[in-house]
């Protein structure tokens, strides 16, 4: 890296949590190879069979609660703490492993299944361990509780803040994401068009590999910590 970047924007996906024991979506054996996302991750699926959808997220929530942050999450928390410039951390993940590793300002663009959302009035509250279709909303009492996650066909959260970060960043780094799901799959190209260098840290080339200036391949827990150390040494 020739000149040290001041502003760094990082996008993480399921691959960063893989070594914490949480499954990814599209790898061999991934969640969407075993389950049809149309039955689990759309507003229509929830309207058709809320119990089935909530059971799936109850199972995922339990898996997240049992998981621990891995060295990649810890390294990103250290970067946020010690980098003299600005670090913006955007995640597509609905787990809280970045926060438990110590990251403070995580942008959860796909929401979090540790929070419940009332589909009737929009109120949000901490999700109980087990959600049931007739749980009443604490604010309006409607029995329309759902996980506060973004489903296919819904608008991701915090897009204004993300667009501003992509526009201003000097370095964009994508970690553990297949580059398949929009709009996140377009962030590298947007950052590059605004003048940033782009780096991919992934197990293998992602679908949007052409949008990256540099790449390093390997498990996140092995390749993210040395990258962070190099960056901190250069800053
Ligand atoms: P995917 O499952 O599509 O991609 C995971 C990526 O991580 C792949 O490119 C893998 O090669 C890589 N990977 C796997 N293990 C890894 C490891 N140990 N270290 C580093 N990389 C590894 O997951 P996402 O790209 O996050 O959306 O999926 C994006 C969105 O699709 C998710 O947020 C979710 C899903 O449907 C919603 O639920 C709305």
């Amino acid at each position: 890296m020739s000149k040290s970047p001041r502003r760094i924007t990082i996008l993480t996906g399921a691959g960063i949590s893989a070594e914490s024991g949480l499954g990814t979506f599209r790898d061999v054996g991934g969640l969407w190879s075993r389950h049809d996302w149309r039955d689990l991750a759309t507003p229509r699926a929830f309207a058709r069979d809320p119990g089935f959808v909530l059971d799936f997220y109850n199972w995922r929530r339990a898996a997240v609660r049992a998981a621990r942050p891995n060295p990649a999450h810890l390294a990103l928390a250290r970067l946020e703490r010690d980098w003299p410039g600005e670090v913006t951390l955007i995640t597509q993940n609905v787990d809280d492993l970045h926060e438990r590793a110590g990251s403070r300002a995580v942008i959860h663009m796909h929401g979090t299944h540790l929070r419940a959302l009332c589909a009737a009035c929009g109120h949000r509250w901490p999700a109980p361990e087990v959600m049931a279709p007739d749980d009443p909303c604490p604010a309006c009492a409607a029995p329309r509780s759902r996980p506060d996650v973004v489903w296919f066909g819904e608008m991701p959260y915090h897009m204004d803040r993300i667009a501003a970060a992509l526009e201003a960043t000097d370095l964009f780094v994508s970690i553990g994401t297949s580059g398949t799901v929009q709009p996140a799959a377009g962030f590298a190209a947007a950052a590059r068009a605004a003048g940033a260098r782009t780096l991919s840290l992934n197990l293998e080339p992602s679908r949007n590999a052409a949008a990256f200036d540099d790449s390093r391949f390997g498990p996140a827990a092995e390749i993210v910590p040395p990258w962070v150390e190099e960056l901190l040494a250069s800053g």
Side-chain angles (χ1 to χ4, degrees):
M1 226 170 289
S2 47
K3 180 168 151 276
S4 180
R6 304 322 298 167
R7 283 165 297 201
I8 303 171
T9 301
I10 299 166
L11 170 71
T12 64
I16 197 169
S17 297
E19 286 144 283
S20 294
L22 299 179
T24 60
F25 295 95
R26 294 174 185 79
D27 292 297
V28 174
L31 275 174
W32 295 159
S33 70
R34 288 178 286 133
H35 308 276
D36 190 335
W37 58 265
R38 291 170 203 82
D39 296 332
L40 293 166
T42 66
R44 184 187 285 195
F46 183 64
R48 194 172 52 224
D49 193 344
F52 184 67
V53 172
L54 290 181
D55 279 351
F56 172 74
Y57 285 96
N58 288 337
W59 166 70
R60 292 270 290 156
R61 193 178 303 111
V64 166
R65 287 208 160 109
R68 297 281 169 270
N70 68 54
H73 297 104
L74 293 164
L76 294 186
R78 166 157 152 72
L79 183 65
E80 183 190 47
R81 197 175 57 239
D82 294 347
W83 183 246
E86 211 175 288
V87 175
T88 302
L89 178 55
I90 306 163
T91 189
Q92 297 167 91
N93 298 343
V94 295
D95 66 52
D96 63 343
L97 295 181
H98 283 306
E99 283 87 348
R100 282 198 266 145
S103 289
R104 283 171 302 230
V106 187
I107 299 178
H108 278 275
M109 64 177 291
H110 289 167
T112 162
H113 56 198
L114 300 178
R115 215 167 42 218
L117 165 68
C118 175
C121 76
H123 181 67
R124 291 178 162 87
W125 68 100
E129 272 184 36
V130 178
M131 291 180 70
D134 51 2
D135 285 346
C137 166
C140 76
R144 304 273 308 282
S145 304
R146 57 168 280 184
D148 189 11
V149 299
V150 174
W151 283 326
F152 288 96
E154 296 181 324
M155 179 62 84
Y157 298 157
H158 313 299
M159 286 307 296
D160 289 352
R161 277 172 70 195
I162 293 172
L166 296 175
E167 181 65 33
T169 200
D170 300 311
L171 175 65
F172 174 84
V173 187
S174 171
I175 304 175
T177 171
S178 58
T180 312
V181 174
Q182 294 293 354
F187 290 174
R192 187 192 244 177
R197 277 197 78 75
T198 55
L199 167 67
S200 171
L201 303 176
N202 214 47
L203 197 56
E204 59 194 7
S206 50
R207 173 107 41 112
N208 58 348
F212 295 97
D213 300 311
D214 306 297
S215 314
R216 295 185 187 186
F217 299 117
E222 288 176 26
I223 64 173
V224 175
W227 168 71
V228 165
E229 292 309 317
E230 276 172 43
L231 199 58
L232 288 173
S234 79

